[in-house]
Amino acid sequence: MVQLMSNKIFILSEKEIKSLVKLDLNIIDEIEKAFIALAKGEVEMPPILSMEMKDQRGEVDVKTAYIKNFDGFAVKISPGFFNNPSLGLPSLNGLMVLFSSKTGLVQSLLLVKHILCQMDWFCENVLKWGLYCTTTCWFHIRR
C-alpha cells in the first residue's frame, strides 16, 4: 500500500486479485445488477475510447462508468497486442483505477493484466447467454 497526501491508495497485483476474486455465481449476480441499473438509466457510461495501432497489431480501450449513489467509480485501461503470444506474453493487459465518487481521489490501483478482462468478458457472455435462453424459452412457451 502506498500513502499519498494522507490519502491511502491500495495497489493490488494480479496475484492478489486472483486470491481475492473468484469466478462464481456471486460475481455474475453483481454484473447482472449493474446491467439492470444500466437499463434503468442509473448508470453514467460514456462511449468506449478506442485507439487502434495497426502497425503493431495492437489496440487500447478506455472504459468507465458510474452507478448513481455508488461510493466510487472505475476507469479501466485495456490494451490488446496480438503479436504478444509469439513473444511469450499474453495478448491482453491492463489496469483499473478506482476513484472516490465523492472526492475524485484515487482509492485503488488494480494491476489486472489480463485476469479481470477475461473474467468480465466471461461473465457478460454468461449473462447474455442466459438472457438469450430465457427469451427463447419465453418465446417458445408463448407460441
Side-chain angles (χ1 to χ4, degrees):
M1 178 176 60
V2 176
Q3 191 165 345
L4 180 64
M5 294 184 293
S6 75
N7 178 43
K8 292 180 182 178
I9 300 173
F10 294 94
I11 300 175
L12 295 175
S13 68
E14 182 180 30
K15 182 179 178 182
E16 292 166 318
I17 293 167
K18 282 181 181 180
S19 73
L20 295 169
V21 179
K22 300 297 179 205
L23 190 57
D24 61 19
L25 293 178
N26 293 329
I27 288 177
I28 294 171
D29 289 343
E30 292 304 311
I31 292 173
E32 183 177 36
K33 288 177 191 174
F35 276 116
I36 290 168
L38 179 62
K40 289 180 174 180
E42 298 170 356
V43 175
E44 295 292 330
M45 188 170 69
I48 296 169
L49 171 64
S50 188
M51 181 177 69
E52 189 172 8
M53 293 161 270
K54 289 182 181 180
D55 61 326
Q56 300 297 324
R57 286 197 66 225
E59 64 184 23
V60 64
D61 291 337
V62 179
K63 303 173 184 178
T64 188
Y66 166 65
I67 300 173
K68 292 179 183 170
N69 299 313
F70 199 69
D71 290 339
F73 67 97
V75 176
K76 177 180 170 185
I77 304 167
S78 178
F81 281 75
F82 306 105
N83 288 331
N84 279 3
S86 67
L87 303 170
L89 300 169
S91 299
L92 300 176
N93 200 342
L95 60 93
M96 294 178 78
V97 183
L98 305 175
F99 297 90
S100 165
S101 60
K102 297 191 185 343
T103 65
L105 293 175
V106 174
Q107 295 177 324
S108 298
L109 179 62
L110 308 178
L111 306 173
V112 297
K113 294 190 178 174
H114 63 283
I115 186 69
L116 287 183
C117 299
Q118 292 172 336
M119 291 176 85
D120 67 5
W121 178 87
F122 173 79
C123 292
E124 285 177 27
N125 282 290
V126 166
L127 285 170
K128 288 175 188 173
W129 179 249
L131 179 61
Y132 168 78
C133 291
T134 302
T135 305
T136 303
C137 291
W138 181 84
F139 175 76
H140 287 293
I141 291 168
R142 298 277 299 171
R143 292 171 75 190

